[in-house]
């Protein structure tokens, strides 16, 4: 049977098709620059056409959805009620859920009779204990506004945990690991007995590690300072924190390959700041887990850069710690979820 997986971004639509149960990749294509000036593709509906998929051969469709909130804590078969809930969650994920919804809507129009499943980036972190997901803000802000840590990249961390268990030759429920998804977006996850117990991204994917263009952790007061002292609007501050910061903010470049080629002070500093932040999270998660079987590196940086992996592991406390390098595959994990949920 064939499972198609869609990952819709605001200006992109990626599709992979897998043959199950063999999990063979049959098709992989991404349409980019949707709706951008000069692009021949004006909408997600046109992008779907441009992918040229024969839906008569597809048995199930899986969709990546960034935010499931507290209501959608595991993969679900999509119906009108689920769509309504994903819409309600736009307030929590304004940059992501609208694009994911577009992908769902065009696929449902095109293939109304094929079962479609939503798989959430937040779902793997549904096991976070309250002391991990609550911020030390007035409790009412959690109750009334849903302000809490949700965590993201969950589909990747879940996949990495399963693959790590195989490599460690243990059951998933037996492993304690720290997974590092290091791409343009980056997050760390503390996994105890196969379940997420803490993760670095929070209420939004902005918190935690230093990323390509995102700050990761900063003092929240800086936001107020930017608004008060420099008269920045919330939109401008959002742009600074999400698009002008991280590696880019420090050295003017967010592509790590380019940064590694440079020898100037800023390039070195950007790497040192990124590595130090990763080490701080590893240290904290080692304490939470007490006993760590392995540190797992993944994402474009984690999978490809031995230099960064070595820099992260260059610490006396990490001597002898097992490291695994695993290529993540969020689309395959989404297909796995479809297969499991639909009992195919
Ligand atoms: P995204 O979060 O957009 O999916 P990726 O997981 O593709 O990002 O990771 C992109 C990052 O990986 C970039 O900083 C890129 O420079 C880095 N990267 C990719 N290949 C290499 C490599 N061979 N060496 C160092 N960094 C690499």
């Amino acid at each position: 049977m064939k499972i198609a997986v869609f990952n819709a971004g605001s200006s992109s639509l990626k599709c992979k098709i897998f043959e199950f149960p063999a999990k063979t990749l049959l098709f992989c294509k991404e349409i980019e620059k949707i709706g951008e000036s000069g692009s021949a593709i004006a909408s997600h509906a046109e992008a779907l056409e441009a992918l040229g998929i024969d839906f008569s051969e597809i048995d199930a469709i899986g969709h990546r959805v960034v935010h499931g909130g507290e209501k959608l804590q595991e993969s679900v078969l999509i119906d009108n009620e689920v769509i309504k809930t994903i819409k309600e969650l736009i307030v929590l994920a304004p940059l992501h859920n609208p694009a994911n919804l577009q992908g769902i809507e065009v696929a449902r129009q095109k293939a109304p009779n094929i079962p479609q499943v939503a798989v959430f980036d937040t779902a793997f972190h549904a096991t976070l204990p309250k002391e991990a997901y609550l911020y030390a803000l007035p409790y009412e802000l959690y109750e009334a506004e849903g302000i809490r840590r949700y965590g993201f990249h969950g589909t990747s961390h879940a996949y990495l945990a399963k693959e790590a268990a195989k490599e460690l030759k243990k059951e998933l429920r037996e492993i304690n690991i720290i997974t590092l998804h290091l791409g343009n977006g980056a997050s760390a996850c503390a996994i105890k007995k196969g379940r997420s117990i803490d993760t670095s991204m929070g209420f939004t994917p902005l918190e935690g590690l230093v990323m390509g263009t995102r700050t990761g952790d900063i003092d929240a007061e800086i936001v107020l300072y930017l608004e008060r002292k420099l008269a920045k609007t919330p939109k401008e501050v959002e742009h600074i924190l999400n698009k002008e910061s991280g590696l880019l903010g420090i050295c003017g470049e967010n592509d790590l390959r380019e940064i590694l080629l440079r020898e100037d002070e800023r390039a070195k500093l950007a790497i040192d700041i990124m590595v130090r932040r990763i080490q701080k999270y590893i240290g904290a998660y080692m304490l939470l887990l007490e006993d760590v079987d392995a540190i797992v590196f993944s994402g474009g940086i984690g999978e490809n850069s031995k230099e960064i992996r070595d820099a992260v592991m260059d610490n006396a406390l990490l001597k002898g710690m097992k490291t695994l390098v695993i290529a993540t595959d969020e689309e395959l994990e989404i297909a796995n979820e479809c297969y499991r949920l639909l009992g195919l």
Side-chain angles (χ1 to χ4, degrees):
M1 63 167 308
K2 294 185 175 59
I3 301 177
V5 174
F6 289 100
N7 186 345
S10 56
S11 64
S12 65
L13 183 64
K14 183 175 182 183
C15 177
K16 283 189 187 176
I17 300 175
F18 298 92
E19 175 72 45
F20 264 71
K23 308 189 181 191
T24 318
L25 179 65
L26 303 174
F27 174 91
C28 176
K29 194 166 170 183
E30 182 167 10
I31 308 285
E32 290 176 303
K33 300 191 186 325
I34 300 170
E36 290 183 7
S37 63
S39 167
I41 311 282
S43 66
H44 283 77
E46 285 183 30
L48 190 68
E49 291 298 332
L51 285 170
I53 298 164
D54 178 1
F55 281 95
S56 68
E57 291 195 342
I58 304 294
D59 300 286
I61 297 175
H63 293 274
R64 174 188 183 212
V65 181
V66 167
H67 216 310
E70 288 197 325
K71 277 195 188 156
L72 298 170
Q73 296 204 331
E74 49 189 56
S75 306
V76 285
L77 193 61
I78 296 171
D79 58 18
N80 291 338
E81 196 55 36
V82 168
I83 289 186
K84 192 166 150 257
T85 308
I86 297 172
K87 276 192 183 141
E88 285 165 12
L89 292 165
I90 286 176
V91 64
L92 294 179
L95 304 178
H96 298 97
N97 274 25
N100 304 152
L101 268 170
Q102 285 208 307
I104 292 173
E105 274 159 10
V106 295
R108 284 183 104 208
Q109 276 158 19
K110 186 79 188 167
N113 299 320
I114 301 177
Q116 307 205 19
V117 170
V119 179
F120 302 95
D121 277 17
T122 46
F124 183 59
H125 305 300
T127 48
L128 252 54
K130 218 165 190 174
E131 60 271 28
Y133 74 67
L134 277 185
Y135 292 107
L137 285 164
Y139 197 81
E140 300 72 42
L141 288 176
Y142 163 60
E143 289 179 311
E145 300 292 333
I147 296 178
R148 51 160 283 182
R149 176 182 311 285
Y150 291 98
F152 299 88
H153 282 157
T155 310
S156 176
H157 291 295
Y159 179 81
L160 296 173
K162 285 185 210 165
E163 292 301 304
K166 282 187 213 159
E167 291 205 22
L168 294 166
K169 298 192 171 42
K170 286 186 172 184
E171 294 294 325
L172 179 62
R173 61 172 189 280
E174 292 171 345
I175 60 166
N176 285 356
I177 56 172
I178 297 169
T179 46
L180 301 168
H181 177 117
L182 309 176
N184 262 319
S187 68
C189 185
I191 298 177
K192 187 167 196 163
K193 298 188 193 307
R195 306 168 118 219
S196 173
I197 61 152
D198 215 330
T199 190
S200 58
M201 284 178 169
F203 179 59
T204 73
L206 181 61
E207 193 181 345
L209 303 179
V210 174
M211 309 184 212
T213 62
R214 286 176 240 164
T215 55
D217 298 333
I218 57 165
D219 182 343
E221 192 71 26
I222 294 169
V223 174
L224 307 178
Y225 184 90
L226 290 172
E227 294 185 353
R228 219 171 36 224
K229 177 89 180 346
L230 303 182
K232 300 283 183 198
T233 64
K235 198 108 206 101
E236 286 169 338
V237 175
E238 180 181 272
H239 198 263
I240 292 172
L241 302 180
N242 282 286
K243 303 279 185 201
E244 297 176 5
S245 299
L247 298 174
L248 177 76
I250 299 160
C251 75
E253 172 66 66
N254 65 301
D255 188 321
L256 184 77
R257 277 166 298 199
E258 300 295 327
I259 301 173
L260 287 170
L261 293 174
R262 285 169 44 180
E263 285 176 355
D264 59 287
E265 203 45 44
R266 289 285 192 94
K268 193 178 161 310
L269 188 61
I271 290 173
D272 289 348
I273 294 172
M274 177 182 77
V275 167
R276 185 187 175 95
R277 185 80 54 86
I278 297 169
Q279 288 179 326
K280 280 170 80 168
Y281 271 92
I282 291 176
Y285 290 171
M286 281 170 74
L287 277 187
L288 290 177
L289 293 170
E290 294 180 312
D291 173 25
V292 180
D293 296 308
I295 295 177
V296 180
F297 286 89
S298 191
I301 294 171
E303 289 164 32
N304 297 302
S305 179
K306 184 170 184 314
E307 198 171 331
I308 297 299
R309 292 197 302 269
D310 288 349
V312 168
M313 298 306 291
D314 183 18
N315 182 282
L317 286 184
L318 296 177
K319 281 246 149 45
M321 173 71 78
K322 189 173 183 60
T323 59
L324 299 174
V325 180
I326 300 178
T328 196
D329 193 336
E330 287 159 289
E331 286 82 18
L332 176 55
E333 181 61 12
I334 292 170
N336 285 332
E337 279 293 279
C338 283
Y339 192 70
R340 183 188 64 78
L341 189 78
L342 297 171
L344 297 166

